[in-house]
Amino acid sequence: MYEPFEAAAKLETHKQVTDERWIGLERRLDTIEKALERLEKRLWLAVYGVVAFVLTRGVMSLLELTQDAV
């Protein structure tokens, strides 16, 4: 069907295209991974903020109770 050298050239071209696609995929995956890391940091910051707020309210309530008892 094809001459031997034509098939080899097509295989080489296919390998090059596959390699370029793989490089592009890795680049996109790295971008997604970095975005997920930033999102994770923001979520932890939100969790720490909520915990700090709840603890502050608890301490304030305790201080009010001790002032009322005195």
Side-chain angles (χ1 to χ4, degrees), residues 3-54:
E3 294 291 327
F5 65 90
E6 289 180 19
K10 289 185 183 224
L11 286 175
E12 182 61 32
T13 302
H14 177 71
K15 182 182 179 326
Q16 290 172 352
V17 169
T18 304
D19 290 344
E20 288 299 320
R21 286 183 179 172
W22 189 257
I23 290 168
L25 178 64
E26 287 178 341
R27 189 176 336 123
R28 286 190 299 269
L29 286 175
D30 286 340
T31 303
I32 292 170
E33 186 176 318
K34 289 176 185 176
L36 286 174
E37 287 174 1
R38 288 193 309 265
L39 177 62
E40 182 181 8
K41 288 178 184 178
R42 289 178 184 170
L43 287 173
W44 278 114
L45 184 61
V47 168
Y48 289 141
V50 169
V51 169
F53 175 77
V54 169

